[in-house]
Amino acid sequence: MSAEESHHGAEIAARVERRWATIAVIIIVMMALLAAFAGIHRVTMPQPRVETTDPSRLHLSGEFVEANLGSALEPNGAVTVRAIGQQYSFTPACILVPAETPITLRATSADVVHGILIQGTNINTMLVPGYVSEQLMRFERTGDYLMPCQEFCSFGHEGMWGKVRVIDKADFADRAKGDGRLSCVGQ
Ligand SMILES: [Cu+2]
């Protein structure tokens, strides 16, 4: 290889390298613009749904009084579960639901921010005092699922556990005949 040929080769290599560097910079700039757009778009849009409640009066009246907590079978066959989180437990501590049924979880906090996470599922929501968290869920298989509080809520946080028990649909319908609210606390 002559000196001239190797000089020529180095020039080609430099040009190719510059071209790839330009492409890499364009990709990075595009990704930054997309991230900025997505972030700005999200903060400028209103939240799809905000429902408030008075945390100091939860136990006195309204949807989250103690007698209304637990699972209710709706006339259309769906189930609504109402629960509250407080330092350091969930009420009810054992949530009873049927399998193969659309379930709406409605929950809030009586004091500080807590979280509900149902292990082995993608159900995970924060309980913020003053706001109602609503989450749709459905269980295909029966069994027990652990439900820890997933937001650090002070010194007793690690002891804040609940459970979700999924039972057979017909069994649940049977137990729901009395029109009351169901749970599996103490069972
Ligand atoms: Cu908690």
Side-chain angles (χ1 to χ4, degrees):
M1 203 198 278
S2 72
E4 201 177 302
E5 270 173 355
S6 82
H7 179 68
H8 185 64
E11 237 172 55
I12 294 175
R15 206 187 314 142
V16 170
E17 213 164 298
R18 236 178 286 127
R19 192 181 304 151
W20 279 110
T22 310
I23 292 172
V25 168
I26 290 172
I27 291 173
I28 291 167
V29 168
M30 268 174 53
M31 290 194 328
L33 286 176
L34 278 174
F37 173 76
I40 293 167
H41 181 73
R42 179 177 284 189
V43 294
T44 53
M45 290 295 126
Q47 287 197 9
R49 183 189 149 277
V50 175
E51 210 178 326
T52 57
T53 174
D54 181 355
S56 65
R57 300 185 53 81
L58 280 185
H59 59 300
L60 298 177
S61 63
E63 183 179 353
F64 293 96
V65 293
E66 195 172 351
N68 201 33
L69 297 178
S71 310
L73 183 60
E74 306 292 353
N76 65 2
V79 167
T80 305
V81 177
R82 293 182 183 84
I84 58 172
Q86 66 269 299
Q87 288 169 321
Y88 296 99
S89 62
F90 294 106
T91 308
C94 185
I95 291 174
L96 188 72
V97 291
E100 296 164 343
T101 304
I103 299 161
T104 306
L105 171 68
R106 290 175 58 76
T108 186
S109 166
D111 41 43
V112 300
V113 175
H114 298 281
I116 279 191
L117 178 151
I118 302 178
Q119 272 184 350
T121 71
N122 63 354
I123 298 153
N124 185 344
T125 185
M126 280 167 80
L127 307 184
V128 182
Y131 295 90
V132 179
S133 302
E134 190 175 286
Q135 177 128 35
L136 303 177
M137 51 193 197
R138 186 186 170 94
F139 297 89
E140 298 305 331
R141 282 179 297 121
T142 59
D144 282 10
Y145 298 75
L146 287 176
M147 185 180 75
C149 175
Q150 43 80 321
E151 264 322 309
F152 179 76
C153 54
S154 193
F155 300 112
H157 169 68
E158 69 276 12
M160 188 167 170
W161 288 83
K163 201 162 55 175
V164 173
R165 177 165 296 160
V166 183
I167 62 170
D168 183 66
K169 203 173 172 170
D171 189 9
F172 185 90
D174 220 38
R175 296 197 205 187
K177 275 193 182 118
D179 205 40
R181 301 293 179 247
L182 294 178
S183 81
C184 44
V185 173
Q187 291 171 18

